[in-house]
């Protein structure tokens, strides 16, 4: 059974700092890994999608890496801003049924 | 683009009644859609996989007679919560797979259900 864990559960940092969110998964037979952002009471915004053959993806101030062999992914946020405050979810796609398994999320607060 | 909509965005119903939630892919045809449930401060849990023209596949522990899923067309899947109870109050989110990108799911904005 695939399990996805995100550490830390919550993180509060001052504006301008660079930060790293962690995601680990138990079964390395994945076909992709996706990072999402969720604002309170809202749906999901897809941030980055990494295919299983890729090592990293970048979009603006965001960089996500994937190490399948160790079952880990990191989301790096550079020069954090108060608008980055949200819950960040990691999800892995696996199995022939194209299912996504989500982690519990990291609740990020960027303090002005 | 790949836009998925849900309707309604929020709904309040009385205990014992049924409520239907729609999930539409607006600019593509989706043979496969998924339904998730999210309780407060928790992550998303997959409820079922909806395939156009066939019966939905439910995850373990999800009552198929309570959560009726109908994927009648390539752009519409519906989730009906039957005989709703307060414990069914949750945030329901659907997603759809776009042809050509078989392993990327596009998510709807979610529906907040409150059962009183």
């Amino acid at each position: 059974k695939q399990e996805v864990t995100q550490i830390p559960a919550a993180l509060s940092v001052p504006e301008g700092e660079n930060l790293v969110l962690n995601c680990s998964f138990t079964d390395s037979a994945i076909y992709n890994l996706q990072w999402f952002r969720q604002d309170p009471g809202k749906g999901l915004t897809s941030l980055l999608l990494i295919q299983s053959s890729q090592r990293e993806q970048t979009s603006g101030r965001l960089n996500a890496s994937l190490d399948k062999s160790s079952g880990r992914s990191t989301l790096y946020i550079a020069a954090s801003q108060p608008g980055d405050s949200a819950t960040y979810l990691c999800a892995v796609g696996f199995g022939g049924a194209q299912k996504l398994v989500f982690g519990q999320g990291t609740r990020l607060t960027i303090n002005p | 683009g790949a836009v998925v909509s849900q309707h309604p965005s929020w709904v309040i119903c009385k205990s014992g009644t049924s409520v239907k939630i729609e999930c539409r892919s607006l600019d593509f045809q989706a043979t496969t859609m998924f339904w998730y449930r999210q309780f407060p401060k928790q992550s998303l849990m997959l409820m079922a996989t909806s395939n156009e023209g066939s019966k939905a596949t439910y995850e373990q522990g999800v009552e198929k007679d309570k959560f009726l899923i109908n994927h009648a067309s390539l752009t519409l899947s519906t989730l009906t919560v039957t005989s709703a109870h307060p414990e069914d109050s949750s945030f329901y989110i659907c997603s759809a797979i776009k042809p050509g990108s078989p392993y990327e799911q596009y998510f709807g904005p979610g529906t907040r259900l409150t059962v009183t």
Side-chain angles (χ1 to χ4, degrees):
Chain A
K1 179 184 175 183
Q2 179 73 271
E3 294 183 358
V4 180
T5 303
Q6 290 187 245
I7 295 174
L11 181 64
S12 180
V13 300
E15 180 178 4
E17 283 201 4
N18 303 323
L19 56 98
V20 175
L21 308 181
N22 297 291
C23 172
S24 62
F25 45 94
T26 55
D27 188 341
S28 62
I30 66 172
Y31 49 78
N32 64 22
L33 184 144
Q34 206 162 353
W35 283 93
F36 295 89
R37 167 187 174 137
Q38 185 175 33
D39 293 289
K42 303 294 184 181
L44 303 181
T45 300
S46 179
L47 298 174
L48 291 165
L49 170 69
I50 311 176
Q51 302 292 355
S52 62
S53 58
Q54 298 174 321
R55 301 271 308 177
E56 67 176 349
Q57 282 285 340
T58 298
S59 176
R61 295 182 292 108
L62 305 179
N63 175 274
S65 67
L66 173 63
D67 184 343
K68 274 181 48 178
S69 61
S70 65
R72 294 180 181 179
S73 175
T74 60
L75 178 66
Y76 176 82
I77 302 177
S80 58
Q81 303 170 358
D84 294 331
S85 298
T87 295
Y88 289 80
L89 294 166
C90 163
V92 298
F94 81 110
Q98 303 162 313
K99 297 181 180 182
L100 283 181
V101 177
F102 283 81
Q104 294 291 340
T106 293
R107 189 170 65 255
L108 176 65
T109 303
I110 307 298
N111 301 303
Chain B
V3 180
V4 177
S5 70
Q6 284 185 239
H7 178 79
S9 56
W10 60 271
V11 57
I12 300 173
C13 70
K14 292 187 176 181
S15 187
T17 62
S18 296
V19 60
K20 180 185 288 187
I21 302 170
E22 294 184 348
C23 175
R24 294 182 183 272
S25 55
L26 298 184
D27 52 359
F28 65 98
Q29 294 183 328
T31 55
T32 302
M33 292 184 172
F34 300 89
W35 286 96
Y36 296 83
R37 180 169 54 184
Q38 185 179 34
F39 290 110
K41 298 190 184 301
Q42 295 188 25
S43 191
L44 278 74
M45 296 297 293
L46 180 64
M47 298 176 66
T49 302
S50 170
N51 295 298
E52 187 269 336
S54 64
K55 291 183 178 180
T57 303
Y58 291 82
E59 294 300 299
Q60 191 172 8
V62 177
E63 300 175 59
K64 62 180 180 180
D65 294 330
K66 180 170 186 60
F67 299 98
L68 302 179
I69 292 173
N70 184 18
H71 195 154
S73 78
L74 288 172
T75 59
L76 174 64
S77 176
T78 61
L79 168 68
T80 301
V81 183
T82 62
S83 186
H85 291 283
E87 56 265 31
D88 298 324
S89 298
S90 187
F91 194 52
Y92 293 87
I93 305 178
C94 73
S95 69
I97 291 180
K98 180 180 178 182
S101 56
Y103 299 114
E104 183 169 6
Q105 294 183 25
Y106 295 89
F107 284 80
T111 296
R112 172 77 57 194
L113 169 63
T114 300
V115 184
T116 61

